[in-house]
Amino acid sequence: MTVALPGSAFAAQGEGDKAIPHPEQDWAGSQILKHEGGSTTGEQPMGLLATVEGVDVSSHQGNVNWSTLWSSGVRFAYVKATEGTSYINPNFTQQYNGSYNVGMIRGSYHFALPNNSTGAAQANYFVDHGGGWSKDGKTLPGALDMEYNPYGATCYGLSASAMVNWIKSFSSTYKSRTGRDPVIYTSTSWWKTCTGNSAAFGGINPLWIPRYGSSVGELPAGWGFHTIWQYTSTGPTVGDHNKFNGAMDRLQALANG
């Protein structure tokens, strides 16, 4: 199922709760690399069994050459759809539909700004602007990108308990709208710092973890395994490359719910 967003993507920026200074500079891992660093050689980790290669993109990449990525073995993609409640990725339609049209399983993600508006408001904005889900076998559940604040305090001025409640609000609202629990993208370091290493989500939300090195490393509390590993920010064609933790039939199962 291809998706066309209503109206101008740019028209949404600056409306709503609070204008966002530079959303085009915020993508999954943009703040992880800045705060945590890591090896970013772009080389695929060795010795992994039963994995599927993926990428994630945002307006930072512009229009993406999906056929080249497909030819290189990439089989799934996550596309930034929204940030806060006042930004839509202007390249979303090309990226989301383009990945689908070459045969990839794809999903969309939301860059969270927990000090900007409620979790429920951001979940609804996400679903209304590209973050929905359909059981077509080609659509992954939406992902919630929780990482360091690009605009100020690491934890967005929230206490650990308030952050946990914000994530719960987003997650429950997303599920009520789509029938799916969202994937959570986060690093172990940020999660420990800003949620107190909450174990409340490990049995509910699939984990997408960034770590730019030779292994995934320690996981946040509550998760016994990761679902997706963002292992580099300097991969071929598109910088951010990922490994799905399983064979293709398990990725299809995640898409189908």
Side-chain angles (χ1 to χ4, degrees):
M1 179 182 70
T2 57
V3 172
L5 293 179
S8 168
F10 292 103
Q13 172 57 27
E15 298 175 359
D17 49 343
K18 299 176 184 177
I20 305 170
H22 48 70
E24 70 285 348
Q25 297 177 28
D26 309 330
W27 60 86
S30 60
Q31 306 308 305
I32 303 297
L33 185 61
K34 184 179 297 184
H35 288 264
E36 298 182 20
S39 172
T40 56
T41 63
E43 296 177 1
Q44 294 198 25
M46 301 299 291
L48 295 176
L49 300 177
T51 60
V52 184
E53 183 76 5
V55 297
D56 58 273
V57 299
S58 68
S59 66
H60 181 67
Q61 280 85 18
N63 288 339
V64 175
N65 189 332
W66 291 108
S67 59
T68 296
L69 284 165
W70 177 266
S71 297
S72 71
V74 173
R75 292 296 179 263
F76 75 95
Y78 263 105
V79 178
K80 180 179 177 180
T82 50
E83 181 172 337
T85 57
S86 59
Y87 173 77
I88 303 165
N89 172 9
N91 299 98
F92 179 81
T93 299
Q94 189 276 342
Q95 294 173 345
Y96 193 72
N97 292 346
S99 52
Y100 175 95
N101 288 337
V102 298
M104 292 183 193
I105 297 174
R106 48 69 171 121
S108 54
Y109 75 87
H110 174 78
F111 194 99
L113 297 179
N115 62 337
N116 196 273
S117 49
T118 66
Q122 292 192 33
N124 281 318
Y125 187 79
F126 178 45
V127 173
D128 291 342
H129 298 91
W133 176 79
S134 61
K135 192 172 184 177
D136 58 1
K138 297 283 289 293
T139 305
L140 294 165
L144 173 62
D145 182 355
M146 302 297 307
E147 59 182 286
Y148 300 87
N149 182 3
Y151 307 111
T154 293
C155 301
Y156 299 85
L158 273 62
S159 67
S161 60
M163 185 67 75
V164 168
N165 287 334
W166 192 97
I167 298 168
K168 285 180 177 178
S169 176
F170 184 101
S171 185
S172 62
T173 302
Y174 186 83
K175 185 167 186 179
S176 72
R177 290 289 306 274
T178 67
R180 297 300 304 275
D181 295 304
V183 173
I184 292 179
Y185 172 100
T186 197
S187 76
T188 300
S189 179
W190 184 91
W191 193 258
K192 285 181 174 181
T193 300
C194 295
T195 74
N197 210 21
S198 172
F201 303 91
I204 302 169
N205 304 87
L207 174 65
W208 176 10
I209 188 164
R211 188 171 186 274
Y212 311 131
S214 59
S215 68
V216 173
E218 181 187 4
L219 301 181
W223 281 283
F225 60 91
H226 69 281
T227 296
I228 300 170
W229 171 22
Q230 186 188 55
Y231 67 88
T232 185
S233 63
T234 58
T237 307
V238 166
D240 294 343
H241 279 244
N242 302 271
K243 291 287 188 184
F244 176 78
N245 188 16
M248 188 67 185
D249 64 336
R250 301 316 304 157
L251 180 65
Q252 292 167 333
L254 178 62
N256 282 317

